[in-house]
Amino acid sequence: MITTITRRDWLAEAVQAESTPVTTQRAAALLTGSPWPTAGRNTARKDLRALTARGVLAAVDVDGRRAYTPKGDQL
């Protein structure tokens, strides 16, 4: 059976594997190693916001920059 994964689900798993909060720039870099390597920074930004709206990620401020962590791992 073939299992499909969406770009956002893939990104959520990648963020959960990171040891530090993920910025949009880092998320875009993570996506270059995904099955969607051409996804850019704007796509990463939209995906991070959508995952936050779904309750999968939490938005935090780190050094005055917006970053994202898995829900429950807030600093």
Side-chain angles (χ1 to χ4, degrees):
M1 181 174 175
I2 297 175
T3 304
T4 59
I5 187 167
T6 65
R7 185 184 66 238
R8 289 181 178 168
D9 288 341
W10 189 94
L11 183 58
E13 289 182 18
V15 170
Q16 290 174 354
E18 291 289 305
S19 59
T20 59
V22 173
T23 62
T24 302
Q25 182 178 1
R26 178 66 183 140
L30 290 170
L31 284 171
T32 61
S34 76
W36 304 271
T38 58
R41 191 167 174 208
N42 193 42
T43 300
R45 183 179 297 115
K46 289 178 185 178
D47 288 350
L48 290 168
R49 286 183 182 162
L51 290 168
T52 301
R54 271 198 236 163
V56 176
L57 301 179
V60 296
D61 286 327
V62 177
D63 298 328
R65 296 177 66 192
R66 177 64 49 100
Y68 299 86
T69 61
K71 194 75 169 189
D73 290 348
Q74 297 179 25
L75 299 176

